[in-house]
């Protein structure tokens, strides 16, 4: 079950403080990277919720993010909605589509679940690719940014936008963490461990899975809204299965089922990508090698590795304390 | 409380349940005996809906539940434990019991609060832990406790739904005689209005707790009656003890 251990809270605090400080001091390029990290972090929070905790490994989360980005852009550009209601609509639509996908895929597990979600993702991708309303291959431009001028906040400024992006990561994290400690979240973890038993206890399994998938889809949709507002241009590439695959890599790199780990993974991934790609065009290969090293180490990602090391240390210390008690 | 009429099931050419008629009154404790492969577990699987019978019907509290889904039957107060441990590995014993209680209270899909912290669930976990002697192990991970403890948790999870009818599939299988005895004390301490159906291999223990006994052999009910009659039944000795010695 999900718990906020001191290590997790400390890591969250450090990441929040670090990104806020960076948002204050960074130049334009640094702020772009920060926004990129934030978008990926929200997406991997969404994915970890279902994959890490519920065992529902999805390859359609890129597409769900795309639904958010496209719905937001179309609602704002074509339907003339202002940014806030367009965001709400986009997130609701992502959630609804995710609920349907979750309901259909609920019966399949493991590799079949992955394949089914991949199929849904590809359907979304080719639909957008072919549709003229969605700009086809060319994509869509002109998505507005949220207008917070009433609060004296100007999101067209990239520094302010970076703070906004960090705030949305915090929002996504809060939703995921609250979901995990709700009845649904408890059932989700239970389903991962023993679906048959939960059914025998009276849980309507498909609905629990679909609801969890819907919440995850809503968070992915939020990532899509942020992506659309960041670049103010979206293309079908956003919905490609490779985006989902990359998100999965980041979740595993960071630490499946820890919620904190994938955010750390997003930071590492984006920073590594930019650092290494400035040295060599083969950055994918380097990231691949790192991923292999992480998987081969048998630790649960970078964060899992840290957690295990610290747990091992406290374990070796505790018996000595007990012995001291016994001696006294 | 629980009734089957002419329940029949076959897997291909093997007939595992042959026209089984069973009737349990409220609060009755019935033990099912029968050699390996007699179809005892398959009968349970049909009662809870994990396997669909070929024909016949099942009634719970007067309601026909034959076509009802597993989760819906559970919500009517039917609970079971498994012959082979079916736990939430990796979670603590408290979480295992809490999850069961939360789902049974209809809070398995709630979004606004943590059911594991709710007073009803906390209270149920405490009571069940006391019933099945798990109180000292509540915060241990299922992976870290002995087989015997896991076996008790298996029943604990079924009890945590606060069922009207509980089906236990060889609850003491694989545990030592000491633990077995403890378990039968536990059974006797269950609330009297709980209807209990137990599959049990150990004859002495079976006679100890049973109000009534049903003997299954090759999917057929070959005896249905009081323990005293079962004890003196030559038929039962032939079938059951014969097969028992073979096994
Ligand atoms: N899903 C299945 N498919 C095919 N045959 C099955 C299936 N489940 C059970 N059987 C067969 O049905 C018969 C009855 O099995 P069941 O598990 O109900 O026996 P049991 O009385 O519980 O035995 P035990 O005392 O060993 O637990 C066995 O011959 C078994 O091999
Ligand atoms: Mg059996």
């Amino acid at each position: 079950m999900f718990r906020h251990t001191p290590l997790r809270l400390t890591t969250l605090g450090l990441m929040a403080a670090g990104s806020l400080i960076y948002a204050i001091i960074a130049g334009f390029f640094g702020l772009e990277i920060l926004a990129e990290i934030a978008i990926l972090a929200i997406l991997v929070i969404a994915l970890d919720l279902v994959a890490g905790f519920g065992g529902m490994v999805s390859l359609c989360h890129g597409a769900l993010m795309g639904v958010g980005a496209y719905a937001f852009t179309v609602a704002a550009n074509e339907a003339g909605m202002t940014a806030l209601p367009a965001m709400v609509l986009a997130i609701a639509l992502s959630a609804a589509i995710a609920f349907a996908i979750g309901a259909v895929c609920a019966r399949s597990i493991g590799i079949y679940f992955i394949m089914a979600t991949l199929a849904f993702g590809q359907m979304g991708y080719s639909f957008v690719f072919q549709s003229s309303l969605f700009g086809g291959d060319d994509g869509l431009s002109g998505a507005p940014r949220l207008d917070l001028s009433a609060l004296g906040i100007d999101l067209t400024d990239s520094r302010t936008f970076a703070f906004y992006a960090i705030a949305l990561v915090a929002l996504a994290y809060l939703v995921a963490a609250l979901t995990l400690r709700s009845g649904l979240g408890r059932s989700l973890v239970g389903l991962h461990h023993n679906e048959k038993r939960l059914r025998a206890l009276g849980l309507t399994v498909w609905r629990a899975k679909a609801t969890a998938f819907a919440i995850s889809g809503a968070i992915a949709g939020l990532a899509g809204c942020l992506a659309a507002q960041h670049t103010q241009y979206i293309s079908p590439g956003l919905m490609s299965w490779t985006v989902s695959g990359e998100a999965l890599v980041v979740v595993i790199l960071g630490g499946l089922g820890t919620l904190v780990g994938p955010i750390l993974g997003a930071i590492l991934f984006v920073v590594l990508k930019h650092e290494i790609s400035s040295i060599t065009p083969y950055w994918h290969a380097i990231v691949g090698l790192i991923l292999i090293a992480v998987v081969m180490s048998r630790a649960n990602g970078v964060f899992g590795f840290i957690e295990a090391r610290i747990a091992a240390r406290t374990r070796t210390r505790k018996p000595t304390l007990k012995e001291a008690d016994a001696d006294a | 409380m629980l009734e089957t009429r002419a329940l029949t099931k076959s897997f291909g050419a093997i007939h595992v349940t042959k026209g089984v008629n069973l009737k349990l009154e409220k609060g009755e404790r019935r033990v099912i005996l029968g050699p390996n492969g007699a179809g005892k577990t398959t009968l349970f699987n049909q009662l809870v809906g994990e396997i669909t019978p070929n024909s016949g019907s099942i009634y719970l509290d007067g309601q026909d539940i034959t076509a009802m889904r597993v989760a819906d039957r559970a919500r009517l107060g039917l609970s079971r434990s498994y012959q082979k441990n079916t736990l939430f590995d990796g979670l603590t014993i408290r979480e295992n019991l809490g999850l069961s209680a939360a789902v049974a209270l209809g809070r398995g899909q709630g979004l606004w609060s943590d059911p594991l912290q709710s007073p009803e669930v906390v209270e149920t976990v405490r009571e069940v832990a006391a019933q099945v002697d798990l109180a000292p192990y509540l915060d241990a991970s299922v992976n870290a406790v002995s087989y015997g403890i896991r076996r008790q948790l298996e029943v604990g999870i079924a009890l945590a739904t606060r069922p009207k009818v509980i089906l236990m599939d060889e609850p003491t299988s694989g545990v030592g005689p000491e633990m077995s005895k403890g378990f039968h004390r536990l059974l006797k301490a269950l609330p009297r209005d709980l209807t209990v159906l137990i599959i049990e291999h150990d004859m002495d223990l079976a006679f100890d707790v049973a109000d009534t006994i049903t003997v299954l052999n090759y999917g057929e009910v070959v005896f249905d009656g009081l323990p005293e009659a079962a004890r003196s039944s030559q038929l039962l000795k032939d079938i059951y003890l014969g097969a028992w010695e073979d096994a």
Side-chain angles (χ1 to χ4, degrees), chain B residues 75-246:
Chain B
R75 283 196 287 266
L76 288 180
L78 182 63
S79 187
R80 80 171 288 185
S81 74
Y82 293 84
Q83 183 170 2
K84 190 167 166 286
N85 284 343
T86 302
L87 314 171
F88 302 103
D89 290 326
L91 304 189
T92 64
I93 290 184
R94 188 192 302 281
E95 288 166 344
N96 268 264
L97 295 174
L99 193 53
S100 172
V103 168
L105 287 165
R107 303 188 55 175
Q109 313 242 13
L111 288 175
W112 307 115
S113 65
D114 183 1
L116 300 190
Q117 316 268 345
S118 80
E120 304 110 290
V121 170
V122 169
E123 183 55 19
T124 306
V125 169
R126 201 188 56 73
E127 283 173 16
V128 172
Q131 274 179 313
V132 294
D133 293 333
L134 287 175
Y137 310 100
L138 278 175
D139 289 310
S141 163
V142 168
N143 302 351
V145 296
S146 70
Y147 174 79
I149 302 288
R150 286 209 289 274
R151 205 67 201 127
Q152 267 158 282
L153 178 61
E154 175 62 40
V155 173
I157 293 174
L159 281 171
T161 65
R162 290 282 175 245
K164 290 186 196 146
V165 179
I166 186 167
L167 317 179
M168 303 187 197
D169 196 345
E170 299 195 32
T172 60
S173 78
V175 308
E178 210 40 54
M179 216 156 195
S180 238
K181 276 215 197 77
F183 188 82
H184 282 255
R185 268 199 305 278
L186 170 173
L187 274 181
K188 287 182 166 170
L190 289 176
R192 256 337 296 197
D193 59 349
L194 179 61
T195 309
V196 186
L197 186 59
I198 311 176
I199 297 172
E200 181 57 75
H201 258 170
D202 187 322
M203 291 278 237
D204 293 334
L205 292 174
F207 289 128
D208 184 30
V209 296
D211 296 331
T212 48
I213 288 193
T214 295
V215 181
L216 274 183
N217 194 33
Y218 293 111
E220 241 172 324
V221 175
V222 293
F223 177 89
D224 187 331
L226 298 174
E228 302 81 63
R231 210 191 291 265
S232 56
S233 152
Q234 188 54 42
L235 176 76
L236 174 60
K237 272 186 195 131
D238 291 347
I239 294 167
Y240 192 73
L241 294 182
W244 180 245
E245 277 153 15
D246 291 347

Side-chain angles (χ1 to χ4, degrees), chain A residues 4 9 13 36 80 107 121 124 163 171 222 275 301 304 317:
Chain A
H4 270 124
L9 289 172
E36 197 183 325
R107 277 178 201 288
F163 284 114
L171 175 68
L222 175 69
E275 289 302 315
R317 222 185 302 142

